[in-house]
Amino acid sequence: MDKLIVEGGHRLSGTVNISGSKNASLPILAAALLTDEPVRISRVPDVSDTNYMIQILSQLGASVERSSGTVRIESPDGISSSASYEQVRKMRASICLLGPMMARMHRCTLPLPGGCVIGDRPVDLHLRAIQALGARVRVKGGNMVIEAPNGLVGTTVDMRGDSGPTVLGTDNLMMAAVLAKGTTIIESAAREPEVVDLANFLNKMGARIEGAGSRTITIHGVEKLHGCEHTVIPDRIEAGTFMVAGVMNVSDGITLNRVCREHMKSISDLLVECGHVVQYNEEGTSVFVKPGERPCSGKILTNPYPGYPTDMQAQMTALFALTPGISVVKDTIFPQRFMHCSELKRMGANIKVDNGTAIITGVDGLSGAPVMASDLRASAALVLAALAAEGTTDIHRLYHIDRGYEMLDDKLEILGARVKRVLDEDSGLGED
Ligand code: UD1
């Protein structure tokens, strides 16, 4: 297991390219199971989550080739309808195999995902959706055994849960419905750009999906899907993370290429509200960010897209820790997602967490410390804090960040940061 040693205080400047979206890639890779023809997907980031997904697809019997960001998948008839616990437990997002497996084989056995550090993470909405299309669900030996012997039949399904719409739940229903009989209408659908990217990919395969990106998605079932080529959208969370690095007090201004301005609105708007400089090129594909002269505190209430993403609140908390005034971060989607706060406090941050809300009083400086990454975005927050801290920070359990940031060390070095990845001698420390 690796740790990252970050020497804080080095000035950041320069340009990096943003990778393809991890969260768009995962369901798109799974959707390759919907056809026996080859699909070619470009800009799939080389991160451990996409690698897990590729491994699962191979284990199911698909043939997968990956070369420099492009993945070619062919899923012949006879692929397995059952995924192993060993593979699936490594990545909660493997739940998005449910839709394509049900559409293609009308049955699947998938290990029931457990909770994770950011919350309970139920799958009730996924199951409600597949049941509405006519499937029967049983839980046996820790697995979900789902069967629809007579095939899936379209209907109207409301996907709204207590915390709003579900992203992968919407993806699963869309993928299940593309080969179902008749028409499926998804009410209260998630509107995230990653859902739209999946719908575009499915339509290229011959699906008939309308309305992705709005609250109501209509899917007219078709007999068969075919192969296609697709390029994944830029990763708006990776872009947002680097934007935060670019407005921290150690930055002289950085440029990010291969971004999509439209997807970045809530993230860009907040940085501007907090007094920072955010300048896009005319096409909205490149952005220059630098710290404002008088940065001010801010307020975040996470919400489903187009609201502020829960996946960006930890990184902003690191920025607020060094911003004068009192900032407030409330996460309504994952109210327990504040593990990074105790680690930031070890670096000198002044944060109080209560009832799904962090109250951050800006301090003049942070100091490097040994810290523990707890989940993907929490780790990103620790890296950001470490860049601006005085002294050296050792970030343990780096595997969390490797789930979702492609070539993070290289990109940080291009920008002038001093980071070193080493084998963690203390890896046994409190490991769970
Ligand atoms: C996706 C993203 C994740 C992001 C999250 C919210 C991927 C691979 N992951 O996760 O990075 O943080 O969206 O933007 O795209 N819920 C239920 N029942 C369900 C499913 C979800 O109650 O069956 C709740 C969740 O606990 C949460 C809310 O709905 O409170 C939204 O979660 P959801 O959108 O489903 O998250 P994911 O799709 O798993």
Side-chain angles (χ1 to χ4, degrees), residues 292-308:
E293 278 170 21
R294 271 185 296 280
C296 56
S297 56
K299 243 189 200 161
I300 295 179
L301 179 64
T302 66
N303 262 311
Y305 190 84
Y308 199 85

Side-chain angles (χ1 to χ4, degrees), residues 6 12 240-250 270-271 274 276 295-298 300 308-330 337-353 358-367 371 376-390 393 395 401 405:
V6 183
L12 303 180
T241 304
F242 276 98
M243 283 170 86
V244 173
V247 303
M248 293 200 82
N249 56 15
V250 284
L270 180 66
L271 291 176
C274 292
H276 299 293
C296 56
S297 56
I300 295 179
Y308 199 85
T310 169
D311 285 351
M312 272 303 298
Q313 57 93 339
Q315 298 89 315
M316 282 303 291
T317 301
L319 176 67
F320 288 150
L322 283 168
T323 305
I326 296 179
S327 300
V328 180
V329 175
K330 184 170 172 62
R337 197 177 200 177
F338 287 102
M339 297 287 281
H340 48 284
C341 291
S342 354
E343 300 302 300
L344 290 173
K345 277 169 30 182
R346 300 192 60 254
M347 299 176 73
N350 181 347
I351 308 176
K352 282 199 181 74
V353 180
I359 298 171
I360 307 125
T361 307
V363 294
D364 290 339
L366 296 175
S367 63
V371 289
L376 172 58
R377 307 305 171 186
S379 338
L382 297 180
V383 172
L384 292 168
L387 294 174
E390 196 181 306
T393 300
I395 304 174
I401 207 155
Y405 288 89

Side-chain angles (χ1 to χ4, degrees), residues 23 121-126 163 166-168 310-311 333-334:
N23 283 355
R121 320 254 0 221
V123 292
D124 55 314
L125 298 171
H126 299 252
S163 312
T166 156
V167 177
L168 290 177
T310 169
D311 285 351
I333 298 172
F334 295 117

